[in-house]
Amino acid sequence: MNDWRNSDHAWVASTVALFLLPATVTAIAADDALDATWWPFGSLDELDSAITAAGRTLYAAHRPLLHLALEHLAK
């Protein structure tokens, strides 16, 4: 899927991993991610609403990857 950040000289590539944690972990930001945040992920709509409410954007190219994660978690 096209991403608005792509150009003739640069493009976005996403890699995903799914980790199930045994307990809540605090998101700690460092210089590489000064505003690290955990988001609710019971559904894509819930995630999209939370991200939008924070003034951010859930990129369209990430939706299929997140959908696969939800399918895996539902098993």
Side-chain angles (χ1 to χ4, degrees):
M1 186 168 279
N2 199 19
D3 190 304
W4 64 268
R5 299 168 293 175
N6 292 341
S7 73
D8 289 341
H9 305 287
W11 53 91
V12 176
S14 296
T15 302
V16 298
L18 177 63
F19 296 95
L20 298 176
L21 304 175
T24 300
V25 176
T26 303
I28 300 173
D31 62 349
D32 64 332
L34 295 177
D35 57 356
T37 305
W38 290 113
W39 300 99
F41 188 42
S43 72
L44 282 175
D45 288 339
E46 178 187 23
L47 178 62
D48 192 28
S49 293
I51 290 173
T52 300
R56 298 181 182 187
T57 302
L58 177 59
Y59 295 114
H62 293 165
R63 288 178 177 278
L65 303 172
L66 293 165
H67 179 74
L68 288 173
L70 285 172
E71 285 183 344
H72 179 78
L73 291 170
K75 291 180 182 179

Short mmCIF file of all heavy atoms in Angstrom, two decimals:
data_model
loop_
_atom_site.label_atom_id
_atom_site.label_comp_id
_atom_site.label_asym_id
_atom_site.label_seq_id
_atom_site.Cartn_x
_atom_site.Cartn_y
_atom_site.Cartn_z
N MET A 1 0.84 -1.18 0.00
CA MET A 1 0.00 0.00 0.00
C MET A 1 0.89 1.24 0.00
O MET A 1 1.92 1.28 0.66
CB MET A 1 -0.91 -0.01 1.22
CG MET A 1 -1.92 1.11 1.22
SD MET A 1 -3.20 0.89 2.48
CE MET A 1 -4.25 -0.24 1.64
N ASN A 2 0.52 2.25 -0.72
CA ASN A 2 1.31 3.46 -0.82
C ASN A 2 1.33 4.22 0.51
O ASN A 2 0.37 4.21 1.25
CB ASN A 2 0.78 4.35 -1.93
CG ASN A 2 1.82 5.36 -2.37
OD1 ASN A 2 3.00 5.21 -2.13
ND2 ASN A 2 1.36 6.39 -3.02
N ASP A 3 2.41 4.85 0.80
CA ASP A 3 2.58 5.64 2.02
C ASP A 3 3.01 7.04 1.60
O ASP A 3 3.92 7.19 0.79
CB ASP A 3 3.64 4.98 2.90
CG ASP A 3 3.73 5.58 4.27
OD1 ASP A 3 3.95 6.80 4.37
OD2 ASP A 3 3.60 4.84 5.26
N TRP A 4 2.38 8.06 2.17
CA TRP A 4 2.67 9.44 1.77
C TRP A 4 4.11 9.83 2.04
O TRP A 4 4.62 10.79 1.47
CB TRP A 4 1.72 10.40 2.47
CG TRP A 4 1.87 10.43 3.97
CD1 TRP A 4 1.19 9.68 4.87
CD2 TRP A 4 2.76 11.24 4.72
NE1 TRP A 4 1.61 9.95 6.15
CE2 TRP A 4 2.57 10.93 6.09
CE3 TRP A 4 3.71 12.21 4.38
CZ2 TRP A 4 3.29 11.53 7.11
CZ3 TRP A 4 4.42 12.81 5.42
CH2 TRP A 4 4.21 12.48 6.75
N ARG A 5 4.82 9.08 2.87
CA ARG A 5 6.22 9.40 3.17
C ARG A 5 7.17 8.88 2.10
O ARG A 5 8.36 9.22 2.10
CB ARG A 5 6.59 8.82 4.54
CG ARG A 5 5.75 9.40 5.66
CD ARG A 5 5.91 8.63 6.95
NE ARG A 5 5.32 7.28 6.77
CZ ARG A 5 5.39 6.31 7.68
NH1 ARG A 5 6.01 6.52 8.81
NH2 ARG A 5 4.83 5.14 7.45
N ASN A 6 6.69 8.06 1.17
CA ASN A 6 7.53 7.51 0.11
C ASN A 6 7.90 8.59 -0.90
O ASN A 6 7.13 9.50 -1.16
CB ASN A 6 6.81 6.38 -0.63
CG ASN A 6 6.60 5.16 0.24
OD1 ASN A 6 7.25 4.98 1.25
ND2 ASN A 6 5.67 4.32 -0.18
N SER A 7 9.08 8.46 -1.47
CA SER A 7 9.51 9.35 -2.55
C SER A 7 10.32 8.51 -3.54
O SER A 7 10.48 7.31 -3.36
CB SER A 7 10.38 10.50 -2.00
OG SER A 7 11.66 10.02 -1.63
N ASP A 8 10.86 9.15 -4.56
CA ASP A 8 11.68 8.43 -5.53
C ASP A 8 13.00 7.96 -4.91
O ASP A 8 13.66 7.08 -5.45
CB ASP A 8 11.99 9.32 -6.73
CG ASP A 8 10.77 9.55 -7.59
OD1 ASP A 8 9.80 8.77 -7.48
OD2 ASP A 8 10.77 10.52 -8.37
N HIS A 9 13.39 8.57 -3.79
CA HIS A 9 14.70 8.28 -3.19
C HIS A 9 14.61 7.66 -1.80
O HIS A 9 15.63 7.29 -1.22
CB HIS A 9 15.53 9.55 -3.12
CG HIS A 9 15.66 10.21 -4.46
ND1 HIS A 9 16.44 9.70 -5.47
CD2 HIS A 9 15.05 11.30 -4.97
CE1 HIS A 9 16.34 10.46 -6.54
NE2 HIS A 9 15.50 11.44 -6.27
N ALA A 10 13.42 7.56 -1.26
CA ALA A 10 13.25 6.99 0.07
C ALA A 10 11.87 6.38 0.19
O ALA A 10 10.92 6.84 -0.46
CB ALA A 10 13.43 8.08 1.13
N TRP A 11 11.75 5.35 0.97
CA TRP A 11 10.45 4.71 1.17
C TRP A 11 10.43 4.10 2.56
O TRP A 11 11.44 3.92 3.21
CB TRP A 11 10.18 3.67 0.09
CG TRP A 11 11.26 2.66 -0.05
CD1 TRP A 11 11.37 1.47 0.58
CD2 TRP A 11 12.44 2.80 -0.85
NE1 TRP A 11 12.53 0.83 0.22
CE2 TRP A 11 13.21 1.63 -0.66
CE3 TRP A 11 12.93 3.77 -1.71
CZ2 TRP A 11 14.42 1.42 -1.30
CZ3 TRP A 11 14.13 3.56 -2.34
CH2 TRP A 11 14.86 2.39 -2.14
N VAL A 12 9.24 3.74 2.96
CA VAL A 12 9.03 3.18 4.29
C VAL A 12 8.90 1.67 4.18
O VAL A 12 8.19 1.17 3.31
CB VAL A 12 7.76 3.78 4.93
CG1 VAL A 12 7.48 3.12 6.26
CG2 VAL A 12 7.90 5.28 5.07
N ALA A 13 9.59 0.96 5.03
CA ALA A 13 9.45 -0.49 5.14
C ALA A 13 9.11 -0.80 6.59
O ALA A 13 9.76 -0.31 7.51
CB ALA A 13 10.75 -1.19 4.75
N SER A 14 8.08 -1.58 6.80
CA SER A 14 7.66 -1.93 8.16
C SER A 14 7.96 -3.40 8.43
O SER A 14 7.77 -4.26 7.58
CB SER A 14 6.16 -1.70 8.33
OG SER A 14 5.85 -0.34 8.19
N THR A 15 8.44 -3.67 9.62
CA THR A 15 8.66 -5.02 10.10
C THR A 15 7.86 -5.17 11.38
O THR A 15 7.79 -4.25 12.18
CB THR A 15 10.16 -5.25 10.40
OG1 THR A 15 10.90 -5.02 9.21
CG2 THR A 15 10.41 -6.66 10.88
N VAL A 16 7.24 -6.32 11.55
CA VAL A 16 6.41 -6.49 12.73
C VAL A 16 6.84 -7.70 13.54
O VAL A 16 7.46 -8.63 13.02
CB VAL A 16 4.92 -6.65 12.34
CG1 VAL A 16 4.41 -5.42 11.66
CG2 VAL A 16 4.71 -7.87 11.46
N ALA A 17 6.52 -7.63 14.82
CA ALA A 17 6.70 -8.75 15.74
C ALA A 17 5.59 -8.64 16.77
O ALA A 17 5.17 -7.53 17.12
CB ALA A 17 8.06 -8.68 16.41
N LEU A 18 5.12 -9.76 17.23
CA LEU A 18 4.05 -9.78 18.23
C LEU A 18 4.59 -10.43 19.49
O LEU A 18 5.05 -11.57 19.46
CB LEU A 18 2.85 -10.56 17.70
CG LEU A 18 1.67 -10.73 18.64
CD1 LEU A 18 1.06 -9.38 18.99
CD2 LEU A 18 0.63 -11.64 18.02
N PHE A 19 4.58 -9.68 20.58
CA PHE A 19 5.05 -10.18 21.87
C PHE A 19 3.90 -10.14 22.86
O PHE A 19 3.24 -9.10 23.01
CB PHE A 19 6.20 -9.32 22.41
CG PHE A 19 7.42 -9.35 21.58
CD1 PHE A 19 7.65 -8.37 20.62
CD2 PHE A 19 8.36 -10.37 21.71
CE1 PHE A 19 8.78 -8.39 19.84
CE2 PHE A 19 9.49 -10.40 20.92
CZ PHE A 19 9.71 -9.40 19.99
N LEU A 20 3.63 -11.24 23.53
CA LEU A 20 2.63 -11.28 24.59
C LEU A 20 3.39 -11.20 25.91
O LEU A 20 4.19 -12.08 26.23
CB LEU A 20 1.82 -12.57 24.51
CG LEU A 20 1.00 -12.74 23.24
CD1 LEU A 20 0.31 -14.10 23.21
CD2 LEU A 20 -0.01 -11.62 23.10
N LEU A 21 3.17 -10.12 26.64
CA LEU A 21 3.89 -9.89 27.88
C LEU A 21 3.08 -10.41 29.07
O LEU A 21 1.86 -10.27 29.09
CB LEU A 21 4.15 -8.39 28.04
CG LEU A 21 4.91 -7.74 26.88
CD1 LEU A 21 5.01 -6.24 27.08
CD2 LEU A 21 6.28 -8.35 26.75
N PRO A 22 3.74 -10.98 30.06
CA PRO A 22 3.03 -11.53 31.20
C PRO A 22 2.50 -10.47 32.16
O PRO A 22 1.68 -10.76 33.02
CB PRO A 22 4.08 -12.41 31.88
CG PRO A 22 5.38 -11.78 31.50
CD PRO A 22 5.17 -11.22 30.12
N ALA A 23 2.98 -9.25 32.02
CA ALA A 23 2.56 -8.17 32.91
C ALA A 23 2.67 -6.84 32.17
O ALA A 23 3.31 -6.75 31.12
CB ALA A 23 3.43 -8.14 34.16
N THR A 24 2.06 -5.82 32.73
CA THR A 24 2.13 -4.48 32.14
C THR A 24 3.57 -3.96 32.22
O THR A 24 4.22 -4.09 33.26
CB THR A 24 1.20 -3.51 32.87
OG1 THR A 24 -0.13 -4.03 32.77
CG2 THR A 24 1.25 -2.12 32.27
N VAL A 25 4.04 -3.39 31.14
CA VAL A 25 5.38 -2.82 31.07
C VAL A 25 5.24 -1.34 30.76
O VAL A 25 4.49 -0.96 29.86
CB VAL A 25 6.20 -3.52 29.95
CG1 VAL A 25 7.57 -2.88 29.81
CG2 VAL A 25 6.31 -5.00 30.21
N THR A 26 5.95 -0.51 31.48
CA THR A 26 5.92 0.93 31.24
C THR A 26 6.72 1.26 30.00
O THR A 26 7.85 0.78 29.84
CB THR A 26 6.50 1.69 32.45
OG1 THR A 26 5.76 1.34 33.61
CG2 THR A 26 6.44 3.19 32.24
N ALA A 27 6.13 2.06 29.11
CA ALA A 27 6.87 2.53 27.93
C ALA A 27 7.85 3.61 28.38
O ALA A 27 7.45 4.60 28.99
CB ALA A 27 5.90 3.09 26.90
N ILE A 28 9.12 3.40 28.11
CA ILE A 28 10.16 4.35 28.51
C ILE A 28 10.81 4.89 27.25
O ILE A 28 11.34 4.13 26.44
CB ILE A 28 11.21 3.69 29.41
CG1 ILE A 28 10.54 3.13 30.67
CG2 ILE A 28 12.32 4.67 29.76
CD1 ILE A 28 11.46 2.31 31.55
N ALA A 29 10.74 6.19 27.09
CA ALA A 29 11.29 6.83 25.90
C ALA A 29 12.77 7.15 26.09
O ALA A 29 13.20 7.48 27.19
CB ALA A 29 10.51 8.10 25.59
N ALA A 30 13.51 7.05 25.02
CA ALA A 30 14.91 7.48 25.00
C ALA A 30 15.06 8.43 23.81
O ALA A 30 14.08 8.82 23.20
CB ALA A 30 15.83 6.28 24.88
N ASP A 31 16.28 8.78 23.47
CA ASP A 31 16.48 9.77 22.40
C ASP A 31 16.01 9.28 21.04
O ASP A 31 15.78 10.07 20.14
CB ASP A 31 17.94 10.20 22.33
CG ASP A 31 18.90 9.06 22.01
OD1 ASP A 31 18.47 7.89 22.06
OD2 ASP A 31 20.06 9.34 21.72
N ASP A 32 15.82 7.97 20.87
CA ASP A 32 15.35 7.46 19.59
C ASP A 32 13.83 7.44 19.48
O ASP A 32 13.28 7.23 18.41
CB ASP A 32 15.89 6.05 19.34
CG ASP A 32 15.39 5.04 20.35
OD1 ASP A 32 15.09 5.46 21.48
OD2 ASP A 32 15.31 3.86 20.03
N ALA A 33 13.13 7.67 20.60
CA ALA A 33 11.66 7.65 20.60
C ALA A 33 11.18 8.45 21.80
O ALA A 33 10.70 7.90 22.79
CB ALA A 33 11.16 6.22 20.66
N LEU A 34 11.33 9.75 21.73
CA LEU A 34 11.06 10.61 22.89
C LEU A 34 9.63 10.53 23.41
O LEU A 34 9.38 10.85 24.55
CB LEU A 34 11.43 12.06 22.56
CG LEU A 34 12.92 12.29 22.31
CD1 LEU A 34 13.16 13.74 21.91
CD2 LEU A 34 13.74 11.92 23.53
N ASP A 35 8.70 10.09 22.58
CA ASP A 35 7.31 10.03 23.02
C ASP A 35 6.74 8.61 22.89
O ASP A 35 5.63 8.42 22.42
CB ASP A 35 6.45 11.04 22.28
CG ASP A 35 6.51 10.86 20.77
OD1 ASP A 35 7.26 10.01 20.30
OD2 ASP A 35 5.77 11.55 20.06
N ALA A 36 7.51 7.62 23.33
CA ALA A 36 7.05 6.22 23.27
C ALA A 36 5.74 6.09 24.04
O ALA A 36 5.59 6.65 25.12
CB ALA A 36 8.11 5.30 23.86
N THR A 37 4.81 5.36 23.47
CA THR A 37 3.48 5.21 24.06
C THR A 37 2.94 3.82 23.77
O THR A 37 3.14 3.28 22.69
CB THR A 37 2.51 6.25 23.44
OG1 THR A 37 3.06 7.55 23.60
CG2 THR A 37 1.16 6.21 24.11
N TRP A 38 2.21 3.26 24.74
CA TRP A 38 1.43 2.04 24.50
C TRP A 38 0.04 2.47 24.09
O TRP A 38 -0.50 3.44 24.62
CB TRP A 38 1.34 1.18 25.76
CG TRP A 38 2.63 0.54 26.17
CD1 TRP A 38 3.35 0.81 27.28
CD2 TRP A 38 3.35 -0.49 25.48
NE1 TRP A 38 4.47 0.02 27.33
CE2 TRP A 38 4.48 -0.80 26.23
CE3 TRP A 38 3.12 -1.20 24.29
CZ2 TRP A 38 5.41 -1.77 25.86
CZ3 TRP A 38 4.06 -2.17 23.91
CH2 TRP A 38 5.18 -2.44 24.69
N TRP A 39 -0.57 1.76 23.16
CA TRP A 39 -1.92 2.07 22.69
C TRP A 39 -2.84 0.88 22.92
O TRP A 39 -2.40 -0.27 22.81
CB TRP A 39 -1.89 2.40 21.19
CG TRP A 39 -1.02 3.56 20.86
CD1 TRP A 39 0.26 3.52 20.40
CD2 TRP A 39 -1.34 4.94 21.00
NE1 TRP A 39 0.75 4.79 20.24
CE2 TRP A 39 -0.22 5.68 20.60
CE3 TRP A 39 -2.48 5.62 21.42
CZ2 TRP A 39 -0.20 7.06 20.61
CZ3 TRP A 39 -2.45 7.00 21.42
CH2 TRP A 39 -1.33 7.71 21.02
N PRO A 40 -4.13 1.11 23.19
CA PRO A 40 -5.08 0.00 23.33
C PRO A 40 -5.23 -0.71 21.99
O PRO A 40 -5.24 -0.08 20.95
CB PRO A 40 -6.38 0.69 23.73
CG PRO A 40 -6.26 2.08 23.20
CD PRO A 40 -4.79 2.42 23.26
N PHE A 41 -5.35 -2.04 22.04
CA PHE A 41 -5.40 -2.77 20.78
C PHE A 41 -6.38 -3.93 20.85
O PHE A 41 -6.06 -5.07 20.54
CB PHE A 41 -3.99 -3.25 20.40
CG PHE A 41 -3.89 -3.86 19.04
CD1 PHE A 41 -4.54 -3.32 17.95
CD2 PHE A 41 -3.13 -5.00 18.85
CE1 PHE A 41 -4.44 -3.88 16.69
CE2 PHE A 41 -3.01 -5.58 17.59
CZ PHE A 41 -3.67 -5.02 16.52
N GLY A 42 -7.61 -3.65 21.26
CA GLY A 42 -8.65 -4.66 21.24
C GLY A 42 -9.25 -4.80 19.86
O GLY A 42 -9.78 -5.85 19.50
N SER A 43 -9.16 -3.71 19.08
CA SER A 43 -9.66 -3.72 17.71
C SER A 43 -8.95 -2.60 16.95
O SER A 43 -8.38 -1.69 17.55
CB SER A 43 -11.18 -3.48 17.67
OG SER A 43 -11.47 -2.13 18.00
N LEU A 44 -9.01 -2.67 15.63
CA LEU A 44 -8.41 -1.60 14.82
C LEU A 44 -9.13 -0.28 15.04
O LEU A 44 -8.49 0.77 15.08
CB LEU A 44 -8.42 -1.98 13.33
CG LEU A 44 -7.34 -2.96 12.91
CD1 LEU A 44 -7.51 -3.35 11.46
CD2 LEU A 44 -5.97 -2.37 13.13
N ASP A 45 -10.45 -0.32 15.21
CA ASP A 45 -11.20 0.91 15.45
C ASP A 45 -10.79 1.55 16.76
O ASP A 45 -10.62 2.77 16.84
CB ASP A 45 -12.71 0.64 15.45
CG ASP A 45 -13.25 0.34 14.06
OD1 ASP A 45 -12.59 0.72 13.06
OD2 ASP A 45 -14.34 -0.25 13.97
N GLU A 46 -10.62 0.74 17.81
CA GLU A 46 -10.19 1.26 19.11
C GLU A 46 -8.81 1.89 19.00
O GLU A 46 -8.57 2.99 19.50
CB GLU A 46 -10.18 0.13 20.14
CG GLU A 46 -9.71 0.56 21.52
CD GLU A 46 -9.54 -0.61 22.47
OE1 GLU A 46 -9.36 -1.75 22.02
OE2 GLU A 46 -9.57 -0.35 23.68
N LEU A 47 -7.90 1.21 18.34
CA LEU A 47 -6.55 1.72 18.16
C LEU A 47 -6.56 3.02 17.35
O LEU A 47 -5.93 4.01 17.73
CB LEU A 47 -5.68 0.67 17.47
CG LEU A 47 -4.24 1.06 17.16
CD1 LEU A 47 -3.47 1.38 18.43
CD2 LEU A 47 -3.57 -0.04 16.36
N ASP A 48 -7.28 3.01 16.24
CA ASP A 48 -7.35 4.19 15.38
C ASP A 48 -7.93 5.39 16.14
O ASP A 48 -7.42 6.50 16.04
CB ASP A 48 -8.17 3.89 14.14
CG ASP A 48 -8.04 4.96 13.07
OD1 ASP A 48 -6.99 5.63 13.01
OD2 ASP A 48 -8.99 5.10 12.29
N SER A 49 -8.97 5.16 16.92
CA SER A 49 -9.59 6.25 17.70
C SER A 49 -8.61 6.83 18.71
O SER A 49 -8.52 8.05 18.86
CB SER A 49 -10.84 5.74 18.42
OG SER A 49 -11.84 5.41 17.51
N ALA A 50 -7.89 5.97 19.41
CA ALA A 50 -6.93 6.44 20.42
C ALA A 50 -5.80 7.23 19.78
O ALA A 50 -5.40 8.29 20.28
CB ALA A 50 -6.37 5.26 21.21
N ILE A 51 -5.30 6.74 18.66
CA ILE A 51 -4.19 7.43 17.98
C ILE A 51 -4.67 8.76 17.42
O ILE A 51 -3.98 9.78 17.53
CB ILE A 51 -3.59 6.51 16.89
CG1 ILE A 51 -2.85 5.35 17.57
CG2 ILE A 51 -2.67 7.28 15.96
CD1 ILE A 51 -2.35 4.30 16.62
N THR A 52 -5.85 8.78 16.81
CA THR A 52 -6.40 10.01 16.26
C THR A 52 -6.66 11.03 17.37
O THR A 52 -6.37 12.22 17.21
CB THR A 52 -7.70 9.72 15.49
OG1 THR A 52 -7.38 8.82 14.42
CG2 THR A 52 -8.31 10.99 14.91
N ALA A 53 -7.19 10.58 18.51
CA ALA A 53 -7.46 11.48 19.64
C ALA A 53 -6.18 12.13 20.15
O ALA A 53 -6.21 13.24 20.68
CB ALA A 53 -8.16 10.71 20.76
N ALA A 54 -5.05 11.44 19.98
CA ALA A 54 -3.76 11.99 20.41
C ALA A 54 -3.13 12.88 19.34
O ALA A 54 -2.02 13.36 19.51
CB ALA A 54 -2.82 10.86 20.77
N GLY A 55 -3.87 13.09 18.23
CA GLY A 55 -3.35 13.95 17.17
C GLY A 55 -2.35 13.26 16.27
O GLY A 55 -1.56 13.91 15.59
N ARG A 56 -2.37 11.94 16.25
CA ARG A 56 -1.45 11.18 15.42
C ARG A 56 -2.21 10.43 14.34
O ARG A 56 -3.42 10.48 14.29
CB ARG A 56 -0.64 10.22 16.28
CG ARG A 56 0.20 10.96 17.31
CD ARG A 56 0.99 10.02 18.11
NE ARG A 56 1.75 10.71 19.13
CZ ARG A 56 2.63 10.11 19.89
NH1 ARG A 56 2.88 8.83 19.75
NH2 ARG A 56 3.29 10.79 20.80
N THR A 57 -1.49 9.69 13.51
CA THR A 57 -2.10 8.98 12.40
C THR A 57 -1.70 7.51 12.42
O THR A 57 -0.52 7.19 12.56
CB THR A 57 -1.64 9.60 11.06
OG1 THR A 57 -1.98 10.97 11.05
CG2 THR A 57 -2.28 8.91 9.89
N LEU A 58 -2.69 6.64 12.26
CA LEU A 58 -2.43 5.22 12.05
C LEU A 58 -2.25 5.05 10.55
O LEU A 58 -3.19 5.24 9.78
CB LEU A 58 -3.59 4.36 12.57
CG LEU A 58 -3.48 2.86 12.34
CD1 LEU A 58 -2.23 2.29 13.00
CD2 LEU A 58 -4.72 2.16 12.85
N TYR A 59 -1.06 4.71 10.10
CA TYR A 59 -0.78 4.62 8.68
C TYR A 59 -1.53 3.46 8.04
O TYR A 59 -1.58 2.36 8.58
CB TYR A 59 0.72 4.48 8.42
CG TYR A 59 1.49 5.70 8.86
CD1 TYR A 59 2.39 5.64 9.90
CD2 TYR A 59 1.27 6.92 8.24
CE1 TYR A 59 3.08 6.77 10.31
CE2 TYR A 59 1.95 8.05 8.64
CZ TYR A 59 2.85 7.97 9.67
OH TYR A 59 3.51 9.10 10.08
N ALA A 60 -2.11 3.72 6.89
CA ALA A 60 -2.91 2.72 6.18
C ALA A 60 -2.10 1.45 5.91
O ALA A 60 -2.63 0.35 5.98
CB ALA A 60 -3.45 3.31 4.89
N ALA A 61 -0.82 1.59 5.62
CA ALA A 61 0.01 0.43 5.32
C ALA A 61 0.19 -0.49 6.53
O ALA A 61 0.52 -1.66 6.37
CB ALA A 61 1.38 0.89 4.82
N HIS A 62 -0.06 0.02 7.72
CA HIS A 62 0.09 -0.81 8.93
C HIS A 62 -1.18 -1.59 9.26
O HIS A 62 -1.13 -2.56 10.01
CB HIS A 62 0.48 0.07 10.11
CG HIS A 62 1.83 0.67 9.97
ND1 HIS A 62 2.27 1.71 10.75
CD2 HIS A 62 2.87 0.38 9.13
CE1 HIS A 62 3.51 2.03 10.42
NE2 HIS A 62 3.88 1.24 9.43
N ARG A 63 -2.31 -1.18 8.71
CA ARG A 63 -3.58 -1.84 9.03
C ARG A 63 -3.59 -3.34 8.73
O ARG A 63 -4.01 -4.12 9.57
CB ARG A 63 -4.74 -1.14 8.34
CG ARG A 63 -5.06 0.19 8.94
CD ARG A 63 -6.20 0.88 8.19
NE ARG A 63 -6.52 2.12 8.84
CZ ARG A 63 -7.31 2.22 9.91
NH1 ARG A 63 -7.89 1.16 10.41
NH2 ARG A 63 -7.54 3.39 10.46
N PRO A 64 -3.14 -3.78 7.56
CA PRO A 64 -3.14 -5.23 7.30
C PRO A 64 -2.27 -6.01 8.28
O PRO A 64 -2.61 -7.12 8.68
CB PRO A 64 -2.61 -5.36 5.87
CG PRO A 64 -2.76 -4.02 5.26
CD PRO A 64 -2.70 -3.03 6.38
N LEU A 65 -1.15 -5.43 8.68
CA LEU A 65 -0.26 -6.09 9.64
C LEU A 65 -0.93 -6.20 11.01
O LEU A 65 -0.85 -7.23 11.68
CB LEU A 65 1.05 -5.30 9.76
CG LEU A 65 1.81 -5.10 8.45
CD1 LEU A 65 2.97 -4.14 8.65
CD2 LEU A 65 2.28 -6.41 7.87
N LEU A 66 -1.60 -5.14 11.42
CA LEU A 66 -2.32 -5.15 12.69
C LEU A 66 -3.50 -6.11 12.66
O LEU A 66 -3.80 -6.79 13.64
CB LEU A 66 -2.77 -3.74 13.05
CG LEU A 66 -1.62 -2.77 13.35
CD1 LEU A 66 -2.11 -1.33 13.32
CD2 LEU A 66 -0.97 -3.11 14.68
N HIS A 67 -4.16 -6.19 11.52
CA HIS A 67 -5.28 -7.12 11.36
C HIS A 67 -4.79 -8.57 11.54
O HIS A 67 -5.44 -9.38 12.20
CB HIS A 67 -5.93 -6.92 9.99
CG HIS A 67 -7.07 -7.85 9.75
ND1 HIS A 67 -8.29 -7.69 10.36
CD2 HIS A 67 -7.17 -8.95 8.98
CE1 HIS A 67 -9.09 -8.68 9.99
NE2 HIS A 67 -8.43 -9.45 9.14
N LEU A 68 -3.63 -8.88 10.97
CA LEU A 68 -3.07 -10.22 11.14
C LEU A 68 -2.75 -10.51 12.61
O LEU A 68 -2.96 -11.63 13.08
CB LEU A 68 -1.80 -10.37 10.29
CG LEU A 68 -1.99 -10.47 8.79
CD1 LEU A 68 -0.64 -10.42 8.08
CD2 LEU A 68 -2.73 -11.74 8.43
N ALA A 69 -2.26 -9.52 13.32
CA ALA A 69 -1.97 -9.71 14.74
C ALA A 69 -3.25 -10.01 15.51
O ALA A 69 -3.29 -10.91 16.35
CB ALA A 69 -1.30 -8.47 15.31
N LEU A 70 -4.33 -9.28 15.21
CA LEU A 70 -5.60 -9.53 15.87
C LEU A 70 -6.13 -10.93 15.55
O LEU A 70 -6.65 -11.62 16.44
CB LEU A 70 -6.65 -8.48 15.46
CG LEU A 70 -6.49 -7.10 16.09
CD1 LEU A 70 -7.47 -6.12 15.46
CD2 LEU A 70 -6.68 -7.17 17.60
N GLU A 71 -5.99 -11.36 14.32
CA GLU A 71 -6.41 -12.71 13.94
C GLU A 71 -5.62 -13.75 14.72
O GLU A 71 -6.16 -14.73 15.20
CB GLU A 71 -6.25 -12.94 12.44
CG GLU A 71 -7.29 -12.27 11.59
CD GLU A 71 -7.12 -12.59 10.12
OE1 GLU A 71 -6.05 -13.07 9.71
OE2 GLU A 71 -8.09 -12.35 9.37
N HIS A 72 -4.33 -13.54 14.85
CA HIS A 72 -3.48 -14.48 15.58
C HIS A 72 -3.87 -14.53 17.06
O HIS A 72 -3.94 -15.61 17.65
CB HIS A 72 -2.01 -14.08 15.43
CG HIS A 72 -1.08 -14.98 16.16
ND1 HIS A 72 -0.72 -16.22 15.69
CD2 HIS A 72 -0.46 -14.84 17.35
CE1 HIS A 72 0.09 -16.79 16.55
NE2 HIS A 72 0.28 -15.97 17.57
N LEU A 73 -4.14 -13.38 17.64
CA LEU A 73 -4.51 -13.33 19.06
C LEU A 73 -5.88 -13.97 19.32
O LEU A 73 -6.13 -14.45 20.42
CB LEU A 73 -4.52 -11.88 19.54
CG LEU A 73 -3.14 -11.22 19.62
CD1 LEU A 73 -3.29 -9.72 19.87
CD2 LEU A 73 -2.29 -11.88 20.70
N ALA A 74 -6.74 -13.99 18.31
CA ALA A 74 -8.08 -14.56 18.47
C ALA A 74 -8.07 -16.09 18.46
O ALA A 74 -9.07 -16.72 18.82
CB ALA A 74 -9.00 -14.04 17.37
N LYS A 75 -6.96 -16.70 18.06
CA LYS A 75 -6.87 -18.17 17.97
C LYS A 75 -6.84 -18.80 19.34
O LYS A 75 -6.35 -18.31 20.29
CB LYS A 75 -5.64 -18.59 17.19
CG LYS A 75 -5.72 -18.25 15.73
CD LYS A 75 -4.48 -18.69 15.02
CE LYS A 75 -4.52 -18.30 13.56
NZ LYS A 75 -3.33 -18.69 12.85
#
